Amino acid sequence: MTDSSAPRPALSMLDLVAVREGGTVADALQIALRTAQHAEQLGFARYWLAEHHNMAGIASSATAVLVGHIAAGTARIRVGSGGIMLPNHAPLVVAEAFGTLAELHPGRIDLGLGRAPGTDPATMRALRRNRVETEEDFPRDVAELQRLLAPAEPGQRLIAVPGAGTNVPIWLLGSSLFSAQLAAQQGLPYAFASHFAPRMLHQAIDLYRNLFRPSAAWPKPHVAIGVPLIAAPTDDEAEYLASSTYQRVLGILTGDRRRLLPPVENYAAQLQPQERAAIGDFLAMAVIGGPDTVRAGLQRLADATGADEFMLVSDVYDPALRLRSLDIAAQAHGMLWGERQRLGAGG
């Protein structure tokens, strides 16, 4: 049954900037910009880039640079990090980078922060040098970033220039309860990484909402959830296109990371049962199918989570079909909540 009182979640997008098999990094960066421009035309709320390092199939390692590139090539959509992996960076450097972006693109920059390394141990050591992270570091670094992006206080010795006074919105990202609790305590918006780690989604959202302390910028809790999405005119075609995502996920699970591969007919049928089960667990929040299936999937997620935003992740090998996937999702989203509004008005 459709709950006409449920909020209408905004549509946003998280881009890992996949390097496709047979393509180049330059191609991947151009595809990301075209996708962001298309998402803006569809009315998406924000477009985020994710920090990953030393991965052949992902071109978003210099995340702040990419945020600036995407923001410069668009006009209205918010652009940001989903996220900056804070343990890899000094808070002052992050504040200066995102403060610069905020001065270049006022009112359009988001700073999503994660506490995972976003890479393998060897690369983590290369990024952090001799730094050893403790559990207390992340909350302390978040607090320092909040101070650096706020207006400078009289007598403040460390000032981010640019950065101070830009008040770039900080989001906390996570796939466990740690960041959910910290976001609630600090009155910050929270994005759950259910596009790859959905197991604790409901527990984290409940914890965040129950513990949320209103802040000046965020008087109410605000939840975004990651949603793997592959849409096509038919369920069969969507399942075929999703085989690129299935191959990527299996590579992550087995340590065989590659570039984004072309789709394969009947790919899932060729896998071992345990491989299919592992991919299914990874993609438990995925919405894959034709327009009716997508519409039902978005409704199911909205009813189950009450999310304020769906952060779509769409790994389609053919860039044009990826844009079509977003078109179908936006249409299904608009039809679904248009129907909810009509039911609410008529009830």
Side-chain angles (χ1 to χ4, degrees):
M1 177 180 293
T2 300
D3 177 8
S4 61
S5 66
R8 173 177 181 156
L11 286 185
S12 296
M13 187 161 185
L14 173 65
D15 195 350
L16 304 184
V17 192
V19 183
R20 287 156 173 78
E21 185 68 28
T24 65
V25 168
D27 294 335
L29 299 176
Q30 291 170 0
I31 291 167
L33 178 58
R34 290 200 301 272
T35 307
Q37 291 166 339
H38 195 76
E40 180 173 72
Q41 292 171 358
L42 291 173
F44 279 36
R46 65 192 85 240
Y47 197 92
W48 280 2
L49 295 310
E51 177 185 346
H52 293 282
H53 299 277
N54 196 27
M55 297 181 186
I58 296 179
S60 55
S61 56
T63 314
V65 177
L66 257 183
V67 169
H69 178 61
I70 298 297
T74 53
R76 300 176 306 280
I77 194 169
R78 298 191 68 91
V79 187
S81 59
I84 291 292
M85 299 298 106
L86 193 50
N88 298 338
H89 309 279
L92 177 60
V93 174
V94 177
E96 290 172 339
F98 277 78
T100 301
L101 290 167
E103 297 288 4
L104 290 169
H105 310 285
R108 295 184 55 214
I109 301 300
D110 295 325
L111 175 53
L113 300 172
R115 69 184 188 105
T119 190
D120 58 89
T123 308
M124 180 179 69
R125 288 191 293 272
L127 287 164
R128 303 182 190 179
R129 302 295 175 143
N130 296 323
R131 177 182 176 184
V132 178
E133 185 190 7
T134 67
E135 190 172 89
E136 292 77 27
D137 285 340
F138 186 68
R140 185 169 52 242
D141 288 349
V142 170
E144 183 176 350
L145 257 174
Q146 289 176 298
R147 287 192 297 272
L148 290 168
L149 293 170
E153 298 285 346
Q156 182 174 327
R157 298 184 63 185
L158 181 62
I159 299 175
V161 183
T166 57
N167 295 306
V168 176
I170 291 176
W171 291 60
L172 296 192
L173 284 55
S175 57
S176 68
L177 304 183
F178 183 93
S179 292
Q181 185 168 349
L182 182 60
Q185 291 170 346
Q186 297 299 317
L188 296 172
Y190 178 57
F192 191 87
S194 42
H195 57 290
F196 72 87
R199 186 171 62 88
M200 301 184 76
L201 170 64
H202 298 288
Q203 190 177 353
I205 290 177
D206 288 345
L207 182 70
Y208 169 69
R209 289 182 175 136
N210 289 334
L211 297 181
F212 187 81
R213 299 175 183 171
S215 61
W218 298 94
K220 298 189 298 183
H222 189 96
V223 174
I225 63 170
V227 180
L229 180 126
I230 310 289
T234 66
D235 287 353
D236 287 344
E237 184 181 354
E239 184 67 22
Y240 167 68
L241 295 176
S243 63
S244 294
T245 294
Y246 300 158
Q247 293 174 81
R248 181 183 66 82
V249 170
L250 187 60
I252 292 171
L253 296 173
T254 60
D256 182 22
R257 292 178 178 270
R258 302 183 184 184
R259 297 185 171 197
L260 187 65
L261 296 169
V264 175
E265 289 283 1
N266 300 316
Y267 177 75
Q270 303 169 30
L271 299 175
Q272 297 297 318
Q274 63 270 25
E275 293 174 327
R276 285 196 296 273
I279 293 171
D281 288 342
F282 193 105
L283 297 174
M285 293 297 118
V287 175
I288 298 169
D292 290 342
T293 301
V294 169
R295 187 180 177 191
L298 295 178
Q299 178 178 315
R300 170 180 54 82
L301 289 176
D303 291 343
T305 67
D308 299 287
E309 290 190 40
F310 293 148
M311 188 69 66
L312 306 183
V313 180
S314 190
D315 289 325
V316 178
Y317 181 80
D318 185 321
L321 298 185
R322 186 191 197 201
L323 300 184
R324 186 188 68 177
S325 182
L326 299 182
D327 289 339
I328 293 170
Q331 185 175 18
H333 175 266
M335 291 175 63
L336 175 58
W337 272 273
E339 174 184 302
R340 288 182 175 216
Q341 290 172 350
R342 288 193 300 274
L343 287 172

